[in-house]
């Protein structure tokens, strides 16, 4: 239509130019030029503007409508199956992670949002996604969402121990939604149960059963992110009913970070010796998971018969740990960091570790258990001397390689200790048979074992006909358990500030008041 108008306009203009005089020509030319220019300019401008506006608007609208935005994604490799030790990860057929190793994580990356994402896992030697051994998806992530995918499980479940709760252990991708890349204050921790042969578990912080960041989580389940205590902490992984402890760990997560802590590997390490059970922290920056170091276990026994130490306060690294800890009682085993520990013992009415009457430093080894026995007197000059000249000064005696339970279900296993400051070297007999000969004050034996039954324990003075007493021990209900049996108190209380009289005191691993056994005669 515009071309036809333009043709007519040119024809009219030519005719006027040929048939007009000079004066009329100028007028006509001016009129014609103005008309032509105005018409042309208006037509051109309108056409250009409309075209530009339409193009701009269409381009803008199409770009806005077609851009789905992005989401953030991290992938953690937690499959302990040796067949999946190194894998390639493809997304929609494109290689995302090459030679991705067990117990490593990718950093968070941008991926298309509102788009179906198919994930293929292939051996590390793969040539393409066609070599995949497992396929997952589709995953469709919302714009600006943050997600962690944990690859966990085994390729062939029939080749491994079944999960105790009946959960599927086939290789799978588990999504942790609403993931975090950082923390505005303190540290944020999410926990994922990725150990195929472990039952539902609790995680208990700092020996406080009311602090359970994980409560009854089964394999494949994760917790929301939660604030983690600042400074060092210890944690115990236990069965859901807390009847058994699986392992203990120390942790110190830096402020400002968000991590996923994964229960990783096999409880039964024979399934893969390179993947024994542990807790591993995976940071938002990716890379190798950081193993949480194993913590130690410790029991404290109070067998110091000094009346002035009848009740004491115990500080660990200047923190009050045992308040008004009474003579002939014991703590249960508790979890402590595998690090240098400064221990102070102070009177029961102390205000701080500065009031201590005794200080020592111990460094327990991770994964081991210890028993510390408080024994002796605070001021030896105020008490009867030991007949063999042994020092009776107050101290902590350490039993390494302690046992929280008997290594044989049909035995009662126990350590024997000589803790009576005024008693000489003694022989210990069980049912008339020598159990431990020539035990001197300060001696702690190795573990002894007896089957269930009734026992008469006799404590005789070595090399003489004198006896400190005969004691009846009923081990019928003690099989499967352990204890520390101490010679406790004074043979001559009147010469030792009227302190407690000589007894055998059995301190069970479960803690609490000692089983005090008086002599039969």
């Amino acid at each position: 239509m515009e071309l036809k108008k333009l043709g007519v306009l040119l024809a009219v203009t030519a005719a006027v130019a040929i048939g007009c005089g000079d004066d009329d020509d100028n007028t006509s030319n001016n009129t014609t030029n103005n008309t032509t220019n105005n018409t042309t300019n208006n037509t051109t401008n309108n056409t250009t503007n409309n075209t530009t506006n339409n193009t701009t608007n269409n381009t803008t609208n199409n770009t806005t409508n077609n851009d789905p935005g992005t989401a953030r994604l991290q992938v953690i490799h937690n499959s302990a199956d040796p067949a999946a030790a190194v894998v390639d990860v493809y997304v929609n057929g494109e290689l995302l992670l090459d030679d991705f190793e067990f117990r490593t994580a990718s950093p968070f990356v941008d991926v298309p949002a509102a788009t179906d994402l198919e994930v293929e896992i292939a051996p590390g030697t793969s040539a393409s996604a066609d070599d995949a051994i497992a396929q997952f998806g589709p995953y469709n992530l919302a714009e600006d969402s943050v997600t962690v995918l944990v690859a966990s499980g085994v390729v062939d479940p029939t080749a491994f121990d079944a999960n105790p709760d009946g959960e599927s252990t086939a290789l799978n991708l588990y999504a942790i939604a609403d993931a975090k890349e950082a923390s505005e204050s303190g540290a944020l921790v999410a926990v994922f149960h990725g150990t195929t042969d472990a039952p539902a578990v609790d995680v208990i912080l700092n020996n406080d059963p009311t602090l359970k960041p994980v409560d009854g989580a089964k394999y494949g389940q994760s917790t929301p992110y939660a604030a983690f205590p600042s400074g060092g902490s210890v944690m115990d992984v236990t069965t859901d009913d807390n009847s058994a402890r699986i392992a203990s760990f120390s942790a110190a997560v830096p402020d400002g970070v968000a991590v996923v802590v994964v229960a990783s590997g096999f409880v039964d390490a024979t399934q893969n010796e390179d993947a024994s059970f542990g807790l591993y922290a995976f940071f938002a920056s990716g890379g190798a998971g950081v193993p949480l170091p194993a913590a130690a276990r410790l029991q404290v026994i109070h067998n110091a018969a000094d009346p002035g130490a009848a009740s004491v306060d115990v500080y660990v690294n200047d923190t009050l740990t045992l308040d008004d800890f009474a003579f002939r009682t014991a703590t249960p085993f508790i979890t402590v960091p595998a690090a240098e520990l400064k221990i102070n013992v102070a009177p029961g009415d102390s205000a701080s570790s500065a009031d201590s009457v005794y200080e020592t430093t111990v460094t327990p080894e991770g994964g081991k258990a210890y028993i510390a026995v408080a024994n002796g007197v605070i001021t030896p000059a105020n008490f009867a001397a030991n007949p063999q000249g042994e020092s009776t000064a107050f101290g902590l005696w350490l039993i390494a390689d302690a046992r929280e339970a008997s290594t044989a279900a049909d035995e009662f296993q126990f350590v024997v200790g000589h803790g009576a400051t005024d008693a000489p070297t003694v022989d210990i007999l069980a049912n008339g048979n020598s159990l431990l000969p020539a035990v001197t004050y300060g001696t702690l034996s190795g573990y002894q074992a007896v089957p269930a039954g009734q026992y008469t324990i006799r404590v005789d003075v070595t090399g003489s006909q004198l006896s400190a007493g005969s004691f009846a021990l009923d081990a019928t209900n003690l099989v499967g358990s352990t204890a520390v049996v101490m010679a406790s108190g004074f043979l001559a209380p009147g010469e030792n500030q009227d302190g407690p009289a000589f007894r055998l005191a059995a301190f069970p691993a479960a803690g609490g008041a000692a089983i005090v056994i008086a002599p039969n005669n």
Side-chain angles (χ1 to χ4, degrees):
M1 185 67 178
E2 295 298 331
L3 291 175
K4 184 176 180 180
K5 287 182 179 179
L6 182 58
V8 173
L9 180 61
L10 290 174
V12 172
T13 302
V16 171
I18 292 171
C20 296
D22 289 342
D23 291 338
D24 292 336
D25 285 348
N26 290 335
T27 303
S28 298
N29 286 339
N30 290 338
T31 302
T32 300
N33 289 338
N34 289 338
T35 303
T36 301
N37 289 337
N38 288 339
T39 302
T40 301
N41 289 338
N42 288 339
T43 301
T44 301
N45 289 339
N46 288 339
T47 301
T48 301
N49 289 338
N50 288 338
T51 301
T52 301
N53 289 337
N54 288 338
T55 300
T56 301
N57 289 337
N58 287 338
T59 300
T60 301
N61 290 336
N62 287 338
T63 300
T64 301
N65 292 335
N66 294 335
D67 182 7
T70 59
R72 298 283 284 168
L73 178 67
Q74 180 182 45
V75 182
I76 295 173
H77 182 347
N78 186 55
S79 172
D81 188 338
V86 179
V87 299
D88 295 338
V89 179
Y90 295 84
V91 176
N92 290 351
E94 298 294 327
L95 183 62
L96 175 68
L97 299 170
D98 187 26
D99 292 338
F100 192 36
E101 296 183 359
F102 172 56
R103 286 177 177 161
T104 61
S106 73
F108 277 92
V109 296
D110 289 331
V111 296
T115 302
D116 285 347
L117 303 177
E118 298 280 354
V119 180
E120 297 96 3
I121 295 180
T125 57
S126 71
S128 71
D130 293 336
D131 298 327
I133 57 176
Q135 295 179 319
F136 307 100
Y139 300 96
N140 197 296
L141 306 178
E143 185 174 6
D144 297 327
S145 64
V146 183
T147 305
V148 174
L149 289 180
V150 183
S152 196
V154 293
V155 178
D156 179 8
T158 63
F160 296 88
D161 290 345
N163 178 263
D165 298 315
E167 300 296 318
S168 171
T169 60
L171 182 63
N172 204 349
L173 288 180
Y174 296 88
I176 301 176
D178 299 321
K180 310 295 182 185
E181 296 189 54
S183 172
E184 294 182 358
S185 63
L188 292 174
V189 176
V191 180
F192 175 77
H193 184 337
T195 298
T196 56
D197 64 340
V201 299
D202 292 348
V203 172
I204 299 172
L205 277 180
N206 296 330
N207 301 292
D208 185 344
T210 66
L211 295 178
K212 287 186 181 181
V214 178
D215 191 358
K218 293 182 178 181
Y219 170 73
Q221 294 181 340
S222 59
T223 68
Y225 284 78
F228 197 80
S230 60
S233 298
V234 292
M235 55 181 64
D236 294 306
V237 180
T238 72
T239 54
D240 186 24
D241 60 3
N242 302 144
S243 63
R245 183 181 56 88
I246 298 172
S248 298
F249 302 90
S250 298
V253 182
D255 288 345
V257 302
V259 300
V260 178
V261 172
V262 176
S264 177
F266 295 111
V267 174
D268 178 6
T270 61
Q271 298 182 97
N272 182 356
E273 293 181 356
D274 295 325
S276 57
F277 177 79
L279 294 185
Y280 285 75
F282 294 91
F283 290 77
S285 56
V290 178
L292 272 58
R297 299 280 285 171
L298 176 67
Q299 180 182 42
V300 182
I301 290 172
H302 185 345
N303 191 55
D306 185 339
S311 177
V312 296
D313 294 339
V314 179
Y315 295 82
V316 178
N317 292 342
D318 297 319
T319 298
L320 180 61
T321 304
L322 299 174
D323 188 22
D324 294 335
F325 187 38
F327 174 61
R328 287 180 179 161
T329 62
T331 70
F333 278 86
I334 60 173
T335 301
V336 296
E340 185 175 276
L341 304 176
K342 181 170 73 77
I343 300 177
N344 293 85
V345 180
D349 58 356
S350 70
S352 72
S353 61
D355 298 328
S356 68
V357 295
Y358 175 79
E359 179 178 316
T360 190
T361 299
V362 298
T363 305
E365 184 178 340
K368 291 192 173 183
Y370 300 83
I371 298 173
V373 182
N375 216 93
V377 293
I378 296 172
T379 308
N382 295 339
F383 294 85
N386 178 263
Q388 269 66 52
E390 301 293 333
S391 171
T392 60
F394 182 92
L396 286 181
W397 303 346
L398 201 63
I399 301 172
D401 298 318
R403 300 175 188 174
E404 296 190 50
S406 174
T407 57
D410 59 348
E411 291 181 346
F412 171 49
Q413 297 180 347
F414 56 96
V415 170
V416 175
H418 186 335
T421 58
D422 66 339
T425 300
V426 297
D427 299 330
I428 300 176
L429 299 88
N431 288 351
N433 300 312
S434 176
L435 185 65
L436 290 169
V439 180
T440 303
Y441 174 75
T443 299
L444 292 165
S445 75
Y447 276 91
Q448 311 297 308
V450 295
Q454 302 283 339
Y455 292 89
T456 298
I457 306 297
R458 202 170 74 239
V459 180
D460 293 344
V461 177
T462 302
S464 77
Q465 300 300 311
L466 298 176
S467 178
S470 180
F471 305 83
L473 172 65
D474 183 358
T476 304
N477 298 318
L478 296 175
V479 292
S481 66
T482 61
V484 176
V485 179
M486 296 292 298
S488 177
F490 300 108
L491 281 179
E495 298 175 15
N496 292 279
Q497 300 188 26
D498 293 324
F502 184 89
R503 298 287 187 269
L504 286 186
F507 297 90
I515 302 170
V516 180
I517 309 170
N520 296 327
N521 54 335

